Amino acid sequence: MPLNEPLSPPGQSELSASSRIRVPAFLTHVRSLFMISGVCGLVDAVCFLSLGEVFAEMMTGNLLLIAFYAGTGHPPAAYAANAMAVVAFVLGAVMAGRIVRGRLGHTRFGFFIEWGFLALAVAFSLTLPLETSEVARFALIGALAFAMGMQNALIRRHGVPDLATNVMTLTLTALVADSTLAGGENERWRRRFASITVFVAGAMLGALLTTSVAPWAPLLAALALFTLALPGLTRPAAARPDAPPA
C-alpha cells in the first residue's frame, strides 16, 4: 500500500471495494431513494384499498383515523388495524434506530432486514386468506408497517435533503414556497418534484394492480422495485458524500 493512501477502518476498505464491483454505476443512492418513494405509494395503496383503510407507512393517516373513530364513539375494534399498524411501525423504527447506531450502521444493513419483511409480506399476500381472516390481514399489515417503520428510521440517517420517500406535505410545501411564484429561487425543485411524482405514480399503479389483479400484485412490484434499489441503498457511507449527517 502506498504511504500516501489514506487508511480505512478495519473491514471498510474491503467492503467499499466489493461494493464498487457489485453495484452498477447508474444505481446511485439518490436514484435508489426515488425508487423507494414508489415503494411507499405501492404499499399504501394495497393497505388502504384491500386491508381496511389502514396505512403501513403514513402514520398521520392512521392517527387521524383512530381519532375520528374514537371521537365518534366507535368501538376499539373499528380502529384496531390502524392501532396495530402504528405499533408495528414503532417497533420497526426502534429496530432500525438501534441498527444505525450499531457497528453495522455504516453498511446500511437495516435495508436488508426491511427487504426480508417486504418479502414476508408478499408471501402472506399469496398464501393467507385475506378476504376472510382478520388475523391474516393483521399479519400482513404488521409485516408491512414494520418494514415501513424501519425504512423511515433508516432514511432519517441515510437520506438526502429534499428527497422525501413518503412525507409529501413538507416536500410540496418546499416546492411551492421556494418557487418563483412565491419569490424564491426554485431550490432543488427537480428533486422535490420528482419525489412527489414517483410517490403518486407508485400509488396509482398500486391502486390499479390491487383492484384489477389482487393485493399480491402491487406488493410483488414493490418488492421487485426495492430489490433493484437495494444495491444503491447499501453502498458504504464513504461512497455517498451527499448523505446528510445524523
Side-chain angles (χ1 to χ4, degrees), residues 66 161 174 202 224:
I66 291 171

Side-chain angles (χ1 to χ4, degrees), residues 217-245:
L219 292 181
L220 187 61
L223 179 64
L225 190 57
F226 193 88
T227 302
L228 180 61
L230 194 57
L233 293 172
T234 54
R235 285 179 182 270
R240 290 198 302 270
D242 55 349

Side-chain angles (χ1 to χ4, degrees), residues 91-101 110 149-154:
L91 292 175
V94 168
M95 174 177 279
R98 288 192 169 273
I99 289 173
V100 298
R101 293 175 178 87
M150 288 198 68
Q151 178 171 296
N152 276 267
L154 292 167

Side-chain angles (χ1 to χ4, degrees), residues 108-133:
R108 279 54 170 166
F109 176 71
F111 287 112
F112 288 105
I113 300 178
E114 181 189 348
W115 184 95
F117 274 89
L118 288 174
L120 180 64
V122 171
F124 283 166
S125 69
L126 287 168
T127 60
L128 297 181
L130 300 178
E131 295 182 358
T132 59
S133 172

Side-chain angles (χ1 to χ4, degrees), residues 96-241:
R98 288 192 169 273
I99 289 173
V100 298
R101 293 175 178 87
R103 63 184 182 86
L104 294 176
H106 70 283
T107 67
R108 279 54 170 166
F109 176 71
F111 287 112
F112 288 105
I113 300 178
E114 181 189 348
W115 184 95
F117 274 89
L118 288 174
L120 180 64
V122 171
F124 283 166
S125 69
L126 287 168
T127 60
L128 297 181
L130 300 178
E131 295 182 358
T132 59
S133 172
E134 187 172 290
V135 173
R137 289 195 297 272
F138 274 38
L140 180 55
I141 293 168
L144 290 170
F146 190 94
M148 294 298 100
M150 288 198 68
Q151 178 171 296
N152 276 267
L154 292 167
I155 293 303
R156 289 189 71 249
R157 179 68 177 268
H158 304 308
V160 297
D162 292 306
L163 202 169
T165 60
N166 68 334
V167 187
M168 296 301 150
T169 301
L170 294 177
T171 306
L172 181 61
T173 301
L175 178 66
V176 175
D178 292 339
S179 67
T180 303
L181 183 64
E185 297 181 358
N186 295 308
E187 295 91 342
R188 293 188 289 272
W189 72 269
R190 292 179 180 85
R191 180 178 292 179
R192 294 165 176 170
F193 181 77
S195 65
I196 295 171
T197 301
V198 173
F199 179 82
V200 171
M204 291 177 64
L205 178 61
L208 175 64
L209 292 175
T210 299
T211 55
S212 63
V213 184
W216 61 262
L219 292 181
L220 187 61
L223 179 64
L225 190 57
F226 193 88
T227 302
L228 180 61
L230 194 57
L233 293 172
T234 54
R235 285 179 182 270
R240 290 198 302 270

